[in-house]
Amino acid sequence: MGDWSYVAPGYALTAVAFAAAVLRLHRRTRADRAAAARLAALRRSRRTPPVPPP
Amino acid sequence: MATIARRPAPQPRAHPARPSGARNRSRGARLLGALCGSRGIFWQGVAAAVALGASAVVSLLVVPADAAQGDVQRLMYVHVPAAWTAYLSFAVVAFASAAYLRTGRVHWDRLAVAAAEAGVLFTGLTIALGSLWGRPIWGAWWTWDPRLTTTLVLLLVYAGYLAVRGLPDNPDRGARWSAVVGLVGFLDVPVVHLSVVWWRGLHQPATVLRPGTPTMAGSMLAALLLAVLAFTLLWAYLVAARMRTERAAQRTRRELLSAPVRRGVQPVAPVADLVATAPTPQGAGSHG
Amino acid sequence: MTGEALALAAKDLRLELRGRHAVSTVLPFAVTLLVALGLALGPDRPLLRQVAPGLLWITVLFAAVLATRRSYELEGEDGALEGLLLSPADPAAIFLGKAAALSVQLLALEVVLVTVMALLFGLPLAAAPVALALVCLLATVGLAAIGSLFGVVAQAARTREGVLPLLVLPAAIPLLVDAVRATSLALEGRDVTGWLGLLLSFDVVALAAGTLLYGYLVED
Amino acid sequence: MGGAGGFRHVVRRRTHPTCRIDAHAACLDGVTRVFGQQPALVRVRLVVRPGEVVLLRGTNGSGKSTLLRVLATAVTPTHGRGCVFGHDLVTDRRDVRRLTELVGHQTRLYGDLSAAENLRFVARMHHADPALVPAVLEQVGLLEVADERTRGFSQGMRQRLAMARTLVRAPSLLLLDEPYAGLDDQAGSLVHALVAATIRRGGAAVLASHDDLVGFAADRTVTLAAGETVVVPQPSLLSAAPGGLT
């Protein structure tokens, strides 16, 4: 009765679930790194003394 | 006019009992710091991947099939570790929630969120694999087996935990609410399990799904322990990475409040897309 | 602490007598749900008698959600909930007061529901009235505790609609299972002490959690 | 340390040493409060001494109400520290709540209870003497409607009842948010009587108001703009010359 038609989907489902989780986390890390970079740029630009209005 | 001798600025005297710098942190804290650093997480990921690969190979090919159930029993090497990891993350959520309520430290809340999200993944996996395995053995996708039902209730509690986080407009309050839901859910689990066992009225000995009985062949037990280790490593990787993203999100949110940035940005949308749409800074500094 | 809890419970019950929300909306809803469920399952009397406990407690569960939402809506109407929280009363006292008031309302509701079910489904109430009463009492206290605890979350949350059932129902699952089983055993006149013990342990957990954690839910 | 029930959970913030001395009726030390993404209060510093009446001025949304709600511990400051009569705003909440009363546009009444019943409930929750209720109702001019349900009251009558609640409680720190909105002159004088009574008891009062105080001298005026205190040079006696940022 050893029947692989249940084992295969089981392992496949596990692999897909893990891959999806890791991918989601990776995408979030990249988005956070981009956000931090933008903020740093914004902060640097703020620090330069603004030109007095004409 | 005599130039006033500039007194050297007083050096920040390191507190005698606690020498400043990284050395003063205890060994454990330093190790934890290393583990949670972005490099540490990367190596955690690699270790988890290697362990999972090895475990898959071992449990699919190397280990003999079960005498009674045949190859279907190989599902045990994914279902049982997933169940173990689901309950592990639920215990971590409850512990971290209690610690967060007790001390108010933010890192406990981050640990709780990370564990809850990992918990949802593993709980869902456990239920899916459990019913997949139950189908050939018991002939039905779902039997009110006490453990499967308790795991389902667990999944509902996780859903409540994550749903409650976003409700109040104050993120601190959302964290507190979810901590309470996590704790109450955790207190529920033993009662749920006991009720379902009595409810079914069955007191038959542990079904074949219950692992760990020493009667199992040595190699099978070894394969199972390897799988449990692999799943736990992956769980640790997911939690550590998720905690870093949570910390980065909170740092960005606080960053948005600092005066120089605040004037340039009118924060209305959630942080992620908010920063993406932040207008290019006005004033002389704009080099966009 | 108990003085404040009693004062709060008395106030809630007086509000209930004045507004008669439980009698005018929750009770009709419960009876209608019961009759609808009964009709859905067909006229077969032995079947109805077998599922009657399940129907009863599903109806009580939803009635509890309605009653909890109403009890906290009355507080939120004019900001009275904030008035309560800004009083030097201990949050645990507020929780216990609300839970007590809710328990009384639900018990009154159950008395009516059980008599209606006895008539409609021909339930042998005389079999073990004491056991049945005890089961109802313990189950209602647990339900009121969970309702009061999560009611404040539903009231203070931005999107109010689906929050309360989402939080109350998963937490009340063990209660539902125990109450249904105990009720059916009580109706058959069999021994229910084991189940009463389980219900009691659930109540202790729910009340303890409520007393300790209510403070965290209400603080902004 | 009578932490408010379950709220011992708190970021371990030591109150600023100068704040701890009881000389201050209320002090906010760099309090910031953020709602979602909008900072309602940004690093507000405020010291109120006993016997002082402080007037908060500022446009809508400048953070006046939030500041009063932070003092009344209805809202937790996101950053910064504060204390009322030496009790920290975040850890000693029950003591702060015993001493303060916040009167806002929400009058916190139960529609189905009568005026007298509402006040008796407040007296029991605040450990005050219920016997005071008739006298207080007479003082605010609601004695004849004492047994009617508050659902039928007008906004002015409800605010008088809110003031009656304050008289029953006799708080040390009075926080009034737009006390004059919707009140006739006679009720306006009630507000002055209320503030004067609090001051006589050695308490302090903080009022947030748009319209000028008629015949009333605020000891100090603090102007708020976009959540930050703005120093506006103007004579402190408001009745002399209405000025400041409006």
Side-chain angles (χ1 to χ4, degrees):
Chain A
M1 215 271 285
D3 182 350
W4 284 85
S5 62
Y6 287 102
V7 178
Y11 277 71
L13 176 68
T14 313
V16 163
F18 289 166
V22 171
L23 202 65
R24 178 171 165 273
L25 270 179
H26 186 63
R27 213 175 306 119
R28 264 201 75 151
T29 335
R30 231 175 326 108
D32 286 337
R33 200 163 292 138
R38 264 188 79 78
L39 273 176
L42 209 58
R43 215 178 319 110
R44 265 196 312 279
S45 65
R46 284 266 149 239
R47 197 159 297 128
T48 52
V51 174
Chain B
M1 197 185 52
T3 59
I4 302 152
R6 268 180 48 71
R7 257 185 332 91
Q11 290 304 329
R13 255 183 327 87
H15 193 280
R18 293 182 47 185
S20 65
R23 288 184 323 286
N24 68 344
R25 282 186 306 163
S26 65
R27 184 177 310 280
R30 261 204 329 282
L31 175 66
L32 199 61
L35 265 181
C36 286
S38 61
R39 284 188 52 73
I41 290 182
F42 171 73
W43 286 111
Q44 270 181 14
V46 167
V50 165
L52 280 172
S55 151
V57 166
V58 162
S59 47
L60 280 179
L61 307 173
V62 170
V63 176
D66 175 66
Q69 290 188 15
D71 283 318
V72 178
Q73 201 260 351
R74 291 183 192 284
L75 277 176
M76 176 178 84
Y77 301 115
V78 267
H79 173 66
V80 170
W84 144 257
T85 324
Y87 276 76
L88 168 70
S89 40
F90 197 57
V92 167
V93 167
F95 176 75
S97 299
Y100 174 67
L101 289 181
R102 187 79 190 84
T103 61
R105 290 259 188 287
V106 184
H107 62 74
W108 287 121
D109 176 51
R110 289 189 199 125
L111 174 61
V113 169
E117 292 199 358
V120 166
L121 169 75
F122 284 105
T123 316
L125 202 58
T126 309
I127 294 172
L129 294 172
S131 51
L132 198 62
W133 190 0
R135 180 75 179 81
I137 304 298
W138 292 330
W141 287 109
W142 177 263
T143 61
W144 290 93
D145 168 73
R147 282 185 312 284
L148 274 184
T149 318
T150 314
T151 314
L152 189 58
V153 170
L154 211 58
L155 188 64
L156 294 177
V157 174
Y158 280 139
Y161 180 95
L162 295 172
V164 160
R165 274 193 92 74
L167 283 184
D169 46 20
N170 171 7
D172 295 343
R173 193 172 195 190
R176 261 201 308 274
W177 282 3
S178 47
V180 168
V181 169
L183 261 181
V184 169
F186 180 74
L187 300 175
D188 240 7
V189 165
V191 185
V192 166
H193 191 71
L194 212 53
S195 320
V196 174
V197 166
W198 286 19
W199 178 67
R200 277 170 54 95
L202 307 176
H203 294 289
Q204 93 277 23
T207 58
V208 78
L209 276 180
R210 184 180 295 273
T213 43
T215 57
M216 231 173 29
S219 64
M220 286 171 141
L221 191 58
L224 186 61
L225 291 181
L226 175 63
V228 167
L229 172 70
F231 272 56
T232 310
L233 275 176
L234 177 75
W235 176 84
Y237 168 73
L238 289 176
V239 167
R242 181 66 183 81
M243 279 175 77
R244 271 188 72 77
T245 54
E246 186 69 18
R247 189 160 63 106
Q250 280 170 358
R251 181 158 301 171
T252 315
R253 205 173 302 140
R254 193 177 323 116
E255 189 63 38
L256 286 174
L257 301 182
S258 61
V261 171
R262 197 158 45 81
R263 286 193 189 82
V265 170
Q266 287 315 321
V268 277
V271 175
D273 46 17
L274 168 116
V275 171
T277 58
T280 51
Q282 297 81 13
S286 77
H287 38 69
Chain C
M1 151 104 142
T2 52
E4 290 145 358
L6 287 178
L8 187 61
K11 182 268 294 179
D12 263 15
L13 290 177
R14 182 177 297 130
L15 273 179
E16 180 44 44
L17 288 180
R18 291 278 172 73
R20 274 195 304 287
H21 170 261
V23 174
S24 60
T25 45
V26 179
L27 185 58
F29 161 79
V31 173
T32 322
L33 183 59
L34 210 57
V35 169
L37 289 171
L39 286 174
L41 295 173
D44 169 12
R45 280 184 87 79
L47 169 71
L48 284 180
R49 185 168 302 142
Q50 196 206 345
V51 295
L55 301 190
L56 170 68
W57 288 106
I58 288 284
T59 310
V60 170
L61 196 59
F62 284 108
V65 170
L66 276 183
T68 311
R69 173 168 296 149
R70 175 64 187 167
S71 147
Y72 275 99
E73 240 165 43
L74 282 178
E75 302 282 350
E77 230 164 42
D78 192 15
L81 185 60
E82 184 180 73
L84 273 182
L85 305 178
L86 290 188
S87 70
D90 183 2
I94 298 175
F95 166 73
L96 291 174
K98 296 297 272 182
L102 205 55
S103 307
V104 169
Q105 287 175 33
L106 287 179
L107 276 175
L109 186 78
E110 273 157 38
V111 165
V112 173
L113 279 184
V114 167
T115 43
V116 163
M117 284 190 67
L119 299 175
L120 289 185
F121 300 151
L123 297 181
L125 289 188
V130 173
L132 199 59
L134 261 179
V135 168
C136 287
L137 176 66
L138 288 178
T140 308
V141 167
L143 211 50
I146 301 171
S148 306
L149 180 66
F150 291 129
V152 69
V153 169
Q155 178 62 23
R158 277 196 311 257
T159 54
R160 287 215 184 101
E161 281 353 303
V163 172
L164 199 50
L166 168 72
L167 294 176
V168 169
L169 293 185
I173 282 180
L175 192 89
L176 185 69
V177 164
D178 301 349
V180 169
R181 208 58 168 161
T183 313
S184 54
L185 290 180
L187 287 179
E188 290 154 16
R190 290 179 20 213
D191 167 40
V192 281
T193 47
W195 290 97
L196 288 180
L198 211 52
L199 277 170
L200 189 63
S201 65
F202 183 88
D203 289 355
V204 167
V205 166
L207 286 171
T211 313
L212 293 173
L213 302 176
Y214 194 75
Y216 297 123
L217 288 182
V218 293
E219 295 302 343
D220 183 355
Chain D
M1 185 197 74
F7 201 61
R8 275 178 329 289
H9 142 252
V10 111
V11 174
R12 214 176 297 285
R13 300 179 193 152
R14 290 176 318 286
T15 304
H16 199 264
T18 56
C19 230
R20 262 296 182 202
I21 44 177
D22 294 347
H24 294 161
C27 95
L28 295 177
D29 169 25
V31 162
T32 302
R33 168 66 201 204
V34 175
F35 286 109
Q37 291 303 316
Q38 293 294 0
L41 284 180
V42 183
R43 280 189 295 284
V44 167
R45 297 180 63 80
L46 175 74
V47 171
V48 180
R49 272 169 284 286
E52 196 178 21
V53 177
V54 174
L55 175 64
L56 288 181
R57 303 219 37 156
T59 58
N60 287 335
S62 57
K64 301 198 298 296
S65 298
T66 312
L67 192 141
L68 290 180
R69 285 167 66 85
V70 166
L71 276 175
T73 72
V75 153
T76 317
T78 320
H79 310 287
R81 299 180 276 253
C83 64
V84 168
F85 288 103
H87 299 294
D88 184 85
L89 275 185
V90 179
T91 47
D92 313 335
R93 286 193 158 212
R94 278 180 74 184
D95 305 323
V96 173
R97 287 173 178 166
R98 216 167 8 87
L99 299 171
T100 58
E101 171 74 13
L102 171 65
V103 181
H105 59 282
Q106 272 191 331
T107 49
R108 303 200 201 118
L109 298 171
Y110 295 102
D112 286 334
L113 292 183
S114 74
E117 280 164 349
N118 264 298
L119 287 184
R120 267 198 298 275
F121 175 65
V122 164
R124 288 186 65 184
M125 290 303 278
H126 292 271
H127 315 307
D129 173 12
L132 285 172
V133 168
V136 160
L137 278 175
E138 210 277 330
Q139 199 174 343
V140 291
L142 290 173
L143 194 54
E144 59 281 354
V145 290
D147 295 330
E148 279 170 37
R149 293 188 187 184
T150 56
R151 196 177 291 286
F153 281 17
S154 72
Q155 178 64 14
M157 291 163 78
R158 298 167 77 94
Q159 279 185 299
R160 282 168 182 254
L161 200 51
M163 278 190 278
R165 176 218 316 269
T166 315
L167 287 170
V168 165
R169 284 204 55 198
S172 302
L173 176 64
L174 190 58
L175 306 167
L176 300 175
D177 196 352
E178 302 297 341
Y180 296 101
L183 287 191
D184 52 31
D185 294 343
Q186 200 231 344
S189 61
L190 272 177
V191 175
H192 305 327
L194 203 60
V195 173
T198 312
I199 301 303
R200 233 180 297 114
R201 264 199 311 276
V206 181
L207 285 89
S209 180
H210 280 295
D211 35 30
D212 298 332
L213 304 168
V214 175
F216 196 90
D219 301 326
R220 207 151 48 82
T221 299
V222 173
T223 309
L224 284 171
E228 285 169 317
T229 46
V230 173
V231 179
V232 175
Q234 54 156 333
S236 69
L237 279 182
L238 245 193
S239 46
L245 201 68
T246 45

